[in-house]
Amino acid sequence: QVQVVESGGDLAQAGGSLRLSCAASGSMLRINDMGWYRQAAGKQRDPVATITNGGSTNYVESVKGRFTISRDNAKNTVYLQMNSLKAEDTGVYYCKVNIVTPLWSRVEVWGQGTQVTVSS
């Protein structure tokens, strides 16, 4: 069984920075894509940034130039560096990892989420 645990969410001032971390552990052959998703209160969960196991990244337009996603494959960890925070960045941030199991199945695993609140 694979577990995904996020950390780093906090209360921040507008213009400030936060760094989120997400570590995957358990039985898996490989991690493919990893990504961060955001769910604001009363809204759907939307992608923020994704990264392939080769390091290619994608960002939602609203965070380009402010957020940076990166990963450490040796630690099965993905990070989200968030700079120049805005009130609209507030929400629960979820990590999703796409893994290959020991039985060669492809499975999506979600973390429990970490709260980011930006005060203006």
Side-chain angles (χ1 to χ4, degrees), residues 25-42:
S25 61
S27 182
M28 50 193 169
L29 293 181
R30 185 175 69 243
I31 298 177
N32 291 328
D33 294 359
M34 307 178 84
W36 290 96
Y37 296 72
R38 176 172 64 206
Q39 187 165 19

Side-chain angles (χ1 to χ4, degrees), residues 69-89:
I69 189 171
S70 61
R71 63 191 283 172
D72 184 335
N73 290 330
K75 296 181 179 179
N76 293 335
T77 299
V78 61
Y79 306 97
L80 186 67
Q81 179 66 45
M82 304 187 295
N83 298 329
S84 302
L85 285 164
K86 302 177 180 180
E88 51 263 44
D89 296 322

